[in-house]
Amino acid sequence: MLIRIVKLGFHPEHIPAFLENFELMKTKIRNAPGNRFLELYQDKSDSTIFFTYSHWETEQDLENYRNSELFYDIWTFTKKLFNTKPEAWSVDKLVSLA
């Protein structure tokens, strides 16, 4: 399993548009082939910073999503709202305690 963490920074006036679009797209993202988990977080000290956290069965599943029409539509909309360059990490889970 691959875990993908993406840090997104938005202009404050664009946050409502981002959240509205995420609400419309979250189920489509979650239902993308290979996606097993999706969450959205907002930073506690800087409300303009968000993180997406997703689990993918394989790296190829993530790449297929990133090359999909769905991702293109989401990214085309979202990138206009940024106040900083997004950052992304693909990580492997080493330990999990519940």
Side-chain angles (χ1 to χ4, degrees):
M1 179 187 342
L2 173 98
I3 298 170
R4 183 73 166 181
I5 304 165
V6 181
K7 180 181 179 184
L8 310 164
F10 295 98
H11 293 283
E13 65 271 19
H14 295 317
I15 292 172
F18 165 70
L19 291 173
E20 182 179 322
N21 192 59
F22 189 85
E23 184 66 26
L24 292 172
M25 298 297 180
K26 66 184 183 185
T27 302
K28 293 178 183 179
I29 298 168
R30 176 58 186 85
N31 289 329
N35 182 278
R36 295 294 165 248
F37 186 80
L38 175 65
E39 288 185 326
L40 176 67
Y41 305 115
Q42 186 175 29
D43 190 85
K44 296 286 275 178
S45 62
D46 184 345
S47 63
T48 67
I49 297 175
F50 291 79
F51 298 86
T52 59
Y53 181 80
S54 56
H55 294 187
W56 297 88
E57 283 188 21
T58 67
E59 191 168 346
Q60 188 60 53
D61 289 325
L62 173 60
E63 285 306 308
N64 291 344
Y65 166 69
R66 292 181 68 215
N67 291 314
S68 71
E69 185 176 331
L70 174 62
F71 180 82
Y72 175 82
D73 291 344
I74 293 168
W75 199 247
T76 299
F77 176 85
T78 305
K79 69 181 179 181
K80 298 180 289 188
L81 310 176
F82 293 143
N83 68 358
T84 188
K85 184 179 179 189
E87 299 178 61
W89 300 269
S90 292
V91 300
D92 293 318
K93 184 187 303 186
L94 298 181
V95 175
S96 179
L97 302 175

